[in-house]
Amino acid sequence: MTQQFRTAAVIGAGTIGLSWTALFAGHGLTVRVSDPRPDLADAVLKALEEFTPHLAARGLDVTGLADRVILAGDVAEAVRDADVVQENGPENVEFKKDLFQTLIEEAPKHALLLSSSSAIPSTAFTGDLADASRVLIGHPFNPPHLIPLVEVVPGERTSEESVRKAVDFYTFLDRTPVVERKEIPGFVGNRLQNALSREAIYLVEQGVVTPEDLDKVITNSLGIRWATVGPFLGSHLGGGPGGYRHMAEHIGKSMKKMWAGLGNPSQSPEEQERLIEAVETAYGSSTYSELAETRDRKQLAVLNAVEEN
């Protein structure tokens, strides 16, 4: 194991924080977890038990996994000897301002300070910090112990050294870090996800398709294609021997016309309730745990298949 990272602090033990905890421990790090939730010990133990088979399926040594996780009494205790801190608090600028002030004061001077923020760029909450050079976004996709992507987004005051260090850290964890060159709310992954979700909601609102059938459309077409090649390479291949140029020159005009006709769902309270009820009708017969287990089992199969090929 690289000597650069020995101890990690996880601040916030919700869905994302617990997943990070398992991943960090699975890669041999000592992990200190801090969260004011009263059931922290039970939540961590349950998560480790649930995620251990996933980590083992990815080839990690899970022997003594729980022994590498330490529950901290507060944030200061969690970060006191950390080489890297992964924050997973609420999507709230003021909360993050206060928390990162504490992190700067309490964490070692060499510690990398990462935020799992889903939409808020780090510049929005680091303006008052005396030193923001070690602060940047490390945004995962849920669950981060399975989904490889981590969006590494530096703020206006983040140092190049910290960006390189973040890439090294996530690469050490067998993640796929992508450095984004410009801050934008929502970053890249969530913006793409939201664009597709907006059209999906519109199509359901218009009665074109049910939520369940829309999911079938994605999982039996775009989901398969994009899991292996992504939208740009997919289009490049879709253009045949002429590649993306052929696609853009011959189909681009009709695609541009379609953009103008993309939907703008109303999401009025009535429409939102109808959509909620439709989704619950489609998937409400299974528990959250059952649905998540099926999702994770299929995602593991996809990851293994992609790596084998």
Side-chain angles (χ1 to χ4, degrees), residues 28 35 49 129 134 172 179 188 194 204 209-210 233-234 274 289:
D35 192 295
E49 291 176 348
L129 297 181
R134 295 179 288 142
F172 162 67
V179 177
V188 174
N194 286 339
V204 172
V209 69
T210 66
L233 179 52
R274 275 194 283 271
S289 295

Side-chain angles (χ1 to χ4, degrees), residues 107-135:
K109 299 302 182 184
H110 72 277
L112 190 62
L113 306 178
L114 300 158
S115 174
S116 296
S117 171
S118 296
I120 305 172
S122 63
T123 298
F125 56 82
T126 57
D128 296 334
L129 297 181
D131 176 17
S133 64
R134 295 179 288 142
V135 181

Side-chain angles (χ1 to χ4, degrees), residues 97-116:
K97 282 182 178 180
D98 292 341
L99 177 58
F100 274 85
Q101 182 63 54
T102 300
L103 297 181
I104 287 290
E105 294 170 356
E106 301 292 345
K109 299 302 182 184
H110 72 277
L112 190 62
L113 306 178
L114 300 158
S115 174
S116 296

